[in-house]
Amino acid sequence: MQLGISSFGEIDPAHVSGHDTRAAQRMQELLALARRADEVGLDVLALGEHHRADFIISAPEVILAAVAAVTQRIRLSSAVTVLSSADPVRVFQNFATVDLISGGRAEILAGRGSFIESYPLFGYDLNDYDELFIEKLTLLLKINESEVVSWQGKHRAALAGQGVYPRPVQSKIPVWIGIGGTPASAVRAGKLGLPLTIAVLGGAPARYVPFAELYRESAQQAGHDAAQLPLCLNCHFHVAETSQQAADAFFPPYAQLMNRIGRERGWSPMDRRHFDFLRGPEGPLFVGTPAEITEKLLNLHSLFQNTRFLGQLVLEGISHQSVLQSVELFGTEVAPAVRAALGIAQEAVAAVSHQAAAPQQP
């Protein structure tokens, strides 16, 4: 099982048109986190795309290119690329460029996004929500498969035997599908034989097992070897020396984030009692000591047989040093314990993601 971190780059927006020192500082902190994750032996860094004032990452591939230049081995992924409101040609070119800079470490995690700001921002109609994603995923996979592409769709100009460059170091860029709570998305990923990431950001992880089952059943029915398909779980994450330290550091920023989003979506307010329940043995929050996190990761693996786990950090409202320490404990204490328990040789860990490099045509 590969182990990594993900981030949306949370920030308290300065709301200024220039000299945004908060954003500059957060960007440097993201690069420092990436370097630390690489140094302590974590396998994946994944950055999410948003177009809101409270998240700094709108162009994950640009930041991943910067990370590529200062790291050695960690794989570099989006989490997610909002493909519905992007140009698949440009997405491929950007990630192929990251792949060249990194020596073959780029991945694309494609999804429809958990927010809708990008649709009006780039001139797309939300009524085309599903159609946009399916069409653009089809084109992205075709570009990934072939240097010269002929294609015609509804929402983008046709391609008539045109080359798409540059080409990556990898034979194909691994393209994952990211989902939240939509069964049809799990079925689609399975039918295409694409690796799947399930975001477990609310409710017990066990409730998401049916999505993994749907995914593998659909893959098997489509003629793919479901046992060989990579599966990732993404959960909020913070680790500290003591359980109390982890909870006390993570609760305020997590509650602030969830309550801000919750006011937009009509969720009940987050309080400490609810938070403590969510970080319990059956909950979706991976917040605790290295031993507690290790136990929860092994329990998660017993449920899903997942090949990857991403711990989603929260950056705003928690000290940078605390987040750095969390990443260090993840790499130096949790990861070795999980790998030892699962009998994973270190040399085999880096090879798992290459199974993702063979997407099928829709």
Side-chain angles (χ1 to χ4, degrees), residues 113-142:
S114 57
F115 297 94
I116 62 172
E117 287 84 1
S118 67
Y119 292 83
L121 186 64
F122 296 114
Y124 291 99
D125 189 338
L126 275 170
N127 291 324
D128 299 325
Y129 187 78
D130 290 319
E131 190 177 85
L132 280 166
F133 182 75
I134 294 168
E135 179 177 296
K136 293 190 174 194
L137 178 61
T138 302
L139 177 54
L140 178 64
L141 297 180
K142 193 173 184 68

mmCIF file of all heavy atoms in Angstrom, residues 113-142:
data_model
loop_
_atom_site.group_PDB
_atom_site.id
_atom_site.type_symbol
_atom_site.label_atom_id
_atom_site.label_comp_id
_atom_site.label_asym_id
_atom_site.label_seq_id
_atom_site.Cartn_x
_atom_site.Cartn_y
_atom_site.Cartn_z
ATOM 1 N N GLY A 113 -15.061 17.568 -9.369
ATOM 2 C CA GLY A 113 -14.876 18.604 -8.367
ATOM 3 C C GLY A 113 -15.989 18.640 -7.351
ATOM 4 O O GLY A 113 -17.139 18.295 -7.637
ATOM 5 N N SER A 114 -15.646 19.052 -6.132
ATOM 6 C CA SER A 114 -16.633 19.128 -5.055
ATOM 7 C C SER A 114 -17.276 20.504 -4.964
ATOM 8 O O SER A 114 -18.196 20.715 -4.174
ATOM 9 C CB SER A 114 -15.974 18.780 -3.712
ATOM 10 O OG SER A 114 -14.878 19.636 -3.452
ATOM 11 N N PHE A 115 -16.790 21.461 -5.759
ATOM 12 C CA PHE A 115 -17.375 22.800 -5.838
ATOM 13 C C PHE A 115 -17.656 23.122 -7.301
ATOM 14 O O PHE A 115 -17.116 22.483 -8.198
ATOM 15 C CB PHE A 115 -16.420 23.844 -5.250
ATOM 16 C CG PHE A 115 -16.129 23.651 -3.787
ATOM 17 C CD1 PHE A 115 -15.016 22.929 -3.381
ATOM 18 C CD2 PHE A 115 -16.967 24.180 -2.820
ATOM 19 C CE1 PHE A 115 -14.730 22.748 -2.042
ATOM 20 C CE2 PHE A 115 -16.698 24.002 -1.475
ATOM 21 C CZ PHE A 115 -15.578 23.281 -1.081
ATOM 22 N N ILE A 116 -18.479 24.126 -7.524
ATOM 23 C CA ILE A 116 -18.933 24.403 -8.898
ATOM 24 C C ILE A 116 -18.377 25.705 -9.469
ATOM 25 O O ILE A 116 -18.724 26.082 -10.586
ATOM 26 C CB ILE A 116 -20.472 24.442 -8.964
ATOM 27 C CG1 ILE A 116 -21.018 25.579 -8.082
ATOM 28 C CG2 ILE A 116 -21.052 23.094 -8.554
ATOM 29 C CD1 ILE A 116 -22.507 25.814 -8.243
ATOM 30 N N GLU A 117 -17.485 26.386 -8.739
ATOM 31 C CA GLU A 117 -17.029 27.705 -9.190
ATOM 32 C C GLU A 117 -16.363 27.675 -10.554
ATOM 33 O O GLU A 117 -16.432 28.652 -11.306
ATOM 34 C CB GLU A 117 -16.044 28.295 -8.168
ATOM 35 C CG GLU A 117 -16.683 28.783 -6.883
ATOM 36 C CD GLU A 117 -16.893 27.667 -5.876
ATOM 37 O OE1 GLU A 117 -16.529 26.511 -6.172
ATOM 38 O OE2 GLU A 117 -17.438 27.948 -4.796
ATOM 39 N N SER A 118 -15.697 26.577 -10.879
ATOM 40 C CA SER A 118 -14.947 26.551 -12.147
ATOM 41 C C SER A 118 -15.860 26.550 -13.368
ATOM 42 O O SER A 118 -15.439 26.968 -14.451
ATOM 43 C CB SER A 118 -14.028 25.331 -12.189
ATOM 44 O OG SER A 118 -14.764 24.125 -12.238
ATOM 45 N N TYR A 119 -17.092 26.098 -13.220
ATOM 46 C CA TYR A 119 -17.981 26.002 -14.386
ATOM 47 C C TYR A 119 -18.336 27.382 -14.936
ATOM 48 O O TYR A 119 -18.075 27.663 -16.116
ATOM 49 C CB TYR A 119 -19.221 25.180 -14.040
ATOM 50 C CG TYR A 119 -18.903 23.721 -13.788
ATOM 51 C CD1 TYR A 119 -18.436 23.296 -12.548
ATOM 52 C CD2 TYR A 119 -19.024 22.777 -14.795
ATOM 53 C CE1 TYR A 119 -18.123 21.964 -12.317
ATOM 54 C CE2 TYR A 119 -18.709 21.443 -14.583
ATOM 55 C CZ TYR A 119 -18.252 21.039 -13.338
ATOM 56 O OH TYR A 119 -17.935 19.721 -13.113
ATOM 57 N N PRO A 120 -18.911 28.282 -14.151
ATOM 58 C CA PRO A 120 -19.154 29.627 -14.706
ATOM 59 C C PRO A 120 -17.867 30.390 -14.979
ATOM 60 O O PRO A 120 -17.811 31.209 -15.903
ATOM 61 C CB PRO A 120 -19.989 30.314 -13.612
ATOM 62 C CG PRO A 120 -19.703 29.560 -12.357
ATOM 63 C CD PRO A 120 -19.471 28.151 -12.783
ATOM 64 N N LEU A 121 -16.809 30.116 -14.199
ATOM 65 C CA LEU A 121 -15.547 30.825 -14.396
ATOM 66 C C LEU A 121 -14.977 30.581 -15.785
ATOM 67 O O LEU A 121 -14.436 31.490 -16.423
ATOM 68 C CB LEU A 121 -14.541 30.376 -13.329
ATOM 69 C CG LEU A 121 -13.198 31.108 -13.288
ATOM 70 C CD1 LEU A 121 -13.388 32.579 -12.937
ATOM 71 C CD2 LEU A 121 -12.263 30.444 -12.279
ATOM 72 N N PHE A 122 -15.120 29.355 -16.283
ATOM 73 C CA PHE A 122 -14.579 29.006 -17.597
ATOM 74 C C PHE A 122 -15.667 28.860 -18.666
ATOM 75 O O PHE A 122 -15.403 28.359 -19.758
ATOM 76 C CB PHE A 122 -13.748 27.727 -17.500
ATOM 77 C CG PHE A 122 -12.534 27.891 -16.628
ATOM 78 C CD1 PHE A 122 -12.431 27.189 -15.439
ATOM 79 C CD2 PHE A 122 -11.514 28.763 -16.974
ATOM 80 C CE1 PHE A 122 -11.324 27.351 -14.610
ATOM 81 C CE2 PHE A 122 -10.403 28.927 -16.158
ATOM 82 C CZ PHE A 122 -10.305 28.226 -14.970
ATOM 83 N N GLY A 123 -16.879 29.284 -18.333
ATOM 84 C CA GLY A 123 -17.919 29.380 -19.346
ATOM 85 C C GLY A 123 -18.657 28.095 -19.659
ATOM 86 O O GLY A 123 -19.109 27.901 -20.795
ATOM 87 N N TYR A 124 -18.830 27.210 -18.663
ATOM 88 C CA TYR A 124 -19.539 25.957 -18.879
ATOM 89 C C TYR A 124 -20.882 25.959 -18.153
ATOM 90 O O TYR A 124 -21.049 26.608 -17.120
ATOM 91 C CB TYR A 124 -18.695 24.767 -18.415
ATOM 92 C CG TYR A 124 -17.495 24.542 -19.285
ATOM 93 C CD1 TYR A 124 -16.229 24.998 -18.904
ATOM 94 C CD2 TYR A 124 -17.604 23.899 -20.516
ATOM 95 C CE1 TYR A 124 -15.116 24.806 -19.712
ATOM 96 C CE2 TYR A 124 -16.493 23.698 -21.333
ATOM 97 C CZ TYR A 124 -15.262 24.157 -20.922
ATOM 98 O OH TYR A 124 -14.176 23.967 -21.733
ATOM 99 N N ASP A 125 -21.808 25.220 -18.702
ATOM 100 C CA ASP A 125 -23.168 25.141 -18.179
ATOM 101 C C ASP A 125 -23.267 23.943 -17.231
ATOM 102 O O ASP A 125 -22.950 22.810 -17.609
ATOM 103 C CB ASP A 125 -24.147 24.975 -19.345
ATOM 104 C CG ASP A 125 -25.606 25.108 -18.917
ATOM 105 O OD1 ASP A 125 -25.905 24.911 -17.724
ATOM 106 O OD2 ASP A 125 -26.434 25.395 -19.791
ATOM 107 N N LEU A 126 -23.726 24.187 -16.008
ATOM 108 C CA LEU A 126 -23.862 23.103 -15.038
ATOM 109 C C LEU A 126 -24.869 22.045 -15.476
ATOM 110 O O LEU A 126 -24.838 20.912 -14.989
ATOM 111 C CB LEU A 126 -24.259 23.663 -13.673
ATOM 112 C CG LEU A 126 -23.101 24.152 -12.797
ATOM 113 C CD1 LEU A 126 -23.633 24.907 -11.593
ATOM 114 C CD2 LEU A 126 -22.232 22.988 -12.370
ATOM 115 N N ASN A 127 -25.749 22.404 -16.399
ATOM 116 C CA ASN A 127 -26.681 21.407 -16.934
ATOM 117 C C ASN A 127 -25.946 20.316 -17.713
ATOM 118 O O ASN A 127 -26.493 19.238 -17.956
ATOM 119 C CB ASN A 127 -27.725 22.075 -17.834
ATOM 120 C CG ASN A 127 -28.691 22.948 -17.051
ATOM 121 O OD1 ASN A 127 -29.063 22.612 -15.932
ATOM 122 N ND2 ASN A 127 -29.079 24.069 -17.624
ATOM 123 N N ASP A 128 -24.708 20.608 -18.113
ATOM 124 C CA ASP A 128 -23.894 19.635 -18.861
ATOM 125 C C ASP A 128 -22.909 18.904 -17.951
ATOM 126 O O ASP A 128 -21.932 18.321 -18.430
ATOM 127 C CB ASP A 128 -23.119 20.358 -19.976
ATOM 128 C CG ASP A 128 -24.033 21.043 -20.972
ATOM 129 O OD1 ASP A 128 -25.121 20.501 -21.255
ATOM 130 O OD2 ASP A 128 -23.664 22.133 -21.460
ATOM 131 N N TYR A 129 -23.149 18.927 -16.661
ATOM 132 C CA TYR A 129 -22.218 18.423 -15.636
ATOM 133 C C TYR A 129 -21.681 17.035 -15.973
ATOM 134 O O TYR A 129 -20.466 16.823 -16.036
ATOM 135 C CB TYR A 129 -22.957 18.408 -14.297
ATOM 136 C CG TYR A 129 -22.126 18.075 -13.083
ATOM 137 C CD1 TYR A 129 -21.297 19.035 -12.503
ATOM 138 C CD2 TYR A 129 -22.207 16.822 -12.474
ATOM 139 C CE1 TYR A 129 -20.559 18.745 -11.368
ATOM 140 C CE2 TYR A 129 -21.473 16.531 -11.343
ATOM 141 C CZ TYR A 129 -20.654 17.500 -10.788
ATOM 142 O OH TYR A 129 -19.922 17.205 -9.672
ATOM 143 N N ASP A 130 -22.560 16.078 -16.195
ATOM 144 C CA ASP A 130 -22.131 14.709 -16.478
ATOM 145 C C ASP A 130 -21.554 14.570 -17.891
ATOM 146 O O ASP A 130 -20.531 13.911 -18.102
ATOM 147 C CB ASP A 130 -23.299 13.734 -16.307
ATOM 148 C CG ASP A 130 -23.696 13.574 -14.849
ATOM 149 O OD1 ASP A 130 -22.793 13.505 -13.999
ATOM 150 O OD2 ASP A 130 -24.899 13.534 -14.562
ATOM 151 N N GLU A 131 -22.218 15.188 -18.839
ATOM 152 C CA GLU A 131 -21.802 15.061 -20.236
ATOM 153 C C GLU A 131 -20.411 15.630 -20.456
ATOM 154 O O GLU A 131 -19.592 15.058 -21.200
ATOM 155 C CB GLU A 131 -22.815 15.787 -21.122
ATOM 156 C CG GLU A 131 -22.648 15.553 -22.597
ATOM 157 C CD GLU A 131 -23.742 16.241 -23.404
ATOM 158 O OE1 GLU A 131 -23.576 17.447 -23.697
ATOM 159 O OE2 GLU A 131 -24.760 15.581 -23.713
ATOM 160 N N LEU A 132 -20.113 16.741 -19.803
ATOM 161 C CA LEU A 132 -18.794 17.356 -19.931
ATOM 162 C C LEU A 132 -17.697 16.411 -19.461
ATOM 163 O O LEU A 132 -16.676 16.231 -20.134
ATOM 164 C CB LEU A 132 -18.730 18.647 -19.111
ATOM 165 C CG LEU A 132 -19.353 19.898 -19.731
ATOM 166 C CD1 LEU A 132 -19.521 20.985 -18.677
ATOM 167 C CD2 LEU A 132 -18.494 20.410 -20.887
ATOM 168 N N PHE A 133 -17.911 15.794 -18.307
ATOM 169 C CA PHE A 133 -16.872 14.933 -17.748
ATOM 170 C C PHE A 133 -16.637 13.716 -18.634
ATOM 171 O O PHE A 133 -15.492 13.356 -18.927
ATOM 172 C CB PHE A 133 -17.236 14.500 -16.334
ATOM 173 C CG PHE A 133 -16.173 13.647 -15.691
ATOM 174 C CD1 PHE A 133 -14.999 14.221 -15.236
ATOM 175 C CD2 PHE A 133 -16.334 12.278 -15.569
ATOM 176 C CE1 PHE A 133 -14.002 13.449 -14.658
ATOM 177 C CE2 PHE A 133 -15.341 11.493 -14.996
ATOM 178 C CZ PHE A 133 -14.170 12.080 -14.542
ATOM 179 N N ILE A 134 -17.698 13.081 -19.075
ATOM 180 C CA ILE A 134 -17.558 11.874 -19.889
ATOM 181 C C ILE A 134 -16.840 12.183 -21.201
ATOM 182 O O ILE A 134 -15.918 11.468 -21.620
ATOM 183 C CB ILE A 134 -18.943 11.251 -20.152
ATOM 184 C CG1 ILE A 134 -19.557 10.751 -18.838
ATOM 185 C CG2 ILE A 134 -18.835 10.108 -21.155
ATOM 186 C CD1 ILE A 134 -21.023 10.375 -18.940
ATOM 187 N N GLU A 135 -17.244 13.277 -21.854
ATOM 188 C CA GLU A 135 -16.634 13.620 -23.130
ATOM 189 C C GLU A 135 -15.157 13.970 -22.966
ATOM 190 O O GLU A 135 -14.297 13.527 -23.739
ATOM 191 C CB GLU A 135 -17.374 14.798 -23.767
ATOM 192 C CG GLU A 135 -16.779 15.237 -25.095
ATOM 193 C CD GLU A 135 -17.572 16.351 -25.758
ATOM 194 O OE1 GLU A 135 -18.740 16.113 -26.118
ATOM 195 O OE2 GLU A 135 -16.991 17.452 -25.915
ATOM 196 N N LYS A 136 -14.852 14.749 -21.946
ATOM 197 C CA LYS A 136 -13.470 15.190 -21.773
ATOM 198 C C LYS A 136 -12.570 14.063 -21.275
ATOM 199 O O LYS A 136 -11.386 14.008 -21.628
ATOM 200 C CB LYS A 136 -13.427 16.401 -20.846
ATOM 201 C CG LYS A 136 -14.097 17.613 -21.489
ATOM 202 C CD LYS A 136 -13.851 18.872 -20.702
ATOM 203 C CE LYS A 136 -14.424 20.063 -21.469
ATOM 204 N NZ LYS A 136 -13.956 21.350 -20.941
ATOM 205 N N LEU A 137 -13.115 13.161 -20.482
ATOM 206 C CA LEU A 137 -12.334 11.997 -20.076
ATOM 207 C C LEU A 137 -12.009 11.136 -21.300
ATOM 208 O O LEU A 137 -10.890 10.633 -21.438
ATOM 209 C CB LEU A 137 -13.103 11.186 -19.038
ATOM 210 C CG LEU A 137 -12.423 9.900 -18.551
ATOM 211 C CD1 LEU A 137 -11.089 10.204 -17.868
ATOM 212 C CD2 LEU A 137 -13.355 9.128 -17.608
ATOM 213 N N THR A 138 -12.980 10.965 -22.182
ATOM 214 C CA THR A 138 -12.752 10.194 -23.410
ATOM 215 C C THR A 138 -11.598 10.772 -24.216
ATOM 216 O O THR A 138 -10.702 10.054 -24.675
ATOM 217 C CB THR A 138 -14.028 10.185 -24.273
ATOM 218 O OG1 THR A 138 -15.100 9.635 -23.526
ATOM 219 C CG2 THR A 138 -13.827 9.367 -25.535
ATOM 220 N N LEU A 139 -11.590 12.102 -24.361
ATOM 221 C CA LEU A 139 -10.525 12.742 -25.124
ATOM 222 C C LEU A 139 -9.184 12.627 -24.406
ATOM 223 O O LEU A 139 -8.158 12.333 -25.039
ATOM 224 C CB LEU A 139 -10.870 14.215 -25.373
ATOM 225 C CG LEU A 139 -9.808 15.038 -26.104
ATOM 226 C CD1 LEU A 139 -9.409 14.395 -27.426
ATOM 227 C CD2 LEU A 139 -10.291 16.469 -26.323
ATOM 228 N N LEU A 140 -9.166 12.835 -23.095
ATOM 229 C CA LEU A 140 -7.914 12.739 -22.344
ATOM 230 C C LEU A 140 -7.288 11.351 -22.492
ATOM 231 O O LEU A 140 -6.078 11.222 -22.722
ATOM 232 C CB LEU A 140 -8.153 13.056 -20.867
ATOM 233 C CG LEU A 140 -6.923 12.943 -19.960
ATOM 234 C CD1 LEU A 140 -5.853 13.963 -20.354
ATOM 235 C CD2 LEU A 140 -7.325 13.121 -18.496
ATOM 236 N N LEU A 141 -8.099 10.324 -22.388
ATOM 237 C CA LEU A 141 -7.580 8.961 -22.525
ATOM 238 C C LEU A 141 -7.054 8.701 -23.936
ATOM 239 O O LEU A 141 -6.061 8.006 -24.127
ATOM 240 C CB LEU A 141 -8.661 7.948 -22.163
ATOM 241 C CG LEU A 141 -9.166 7.974 -20.717
ATOM 242 C CD1 LEU A 141 -10.230 6.908 -20.510
ATOM 243 C CD2 LEU A 141 -8.034 7.798 -19.714
ATOM 244 N N LYS A 142 -7.725 9.278 -24.904
ATOM 245 C CA LYS A 142 -7.289 9.092 -26.303
ATOM 246 C C LYS A 142 -5.938 9.769 -26.530
ATOM 247 O O LYS A 142 -5.049 9.218 -27.192
ATOM 248 C CB LYS A 142 -8.354 9.663 -27.246
ATOM 249 C CG LYS A 142 -8.180 9.252 -28.710
ATOM 250 C CD LYS A 142 -9.370 9.716 -29.529
ATOM 251 C CE LYS A 142 -9.266 9.240 -30.970
ATOM 252 N NZ LYS A 142 -9.408 7.776 -31.113
#
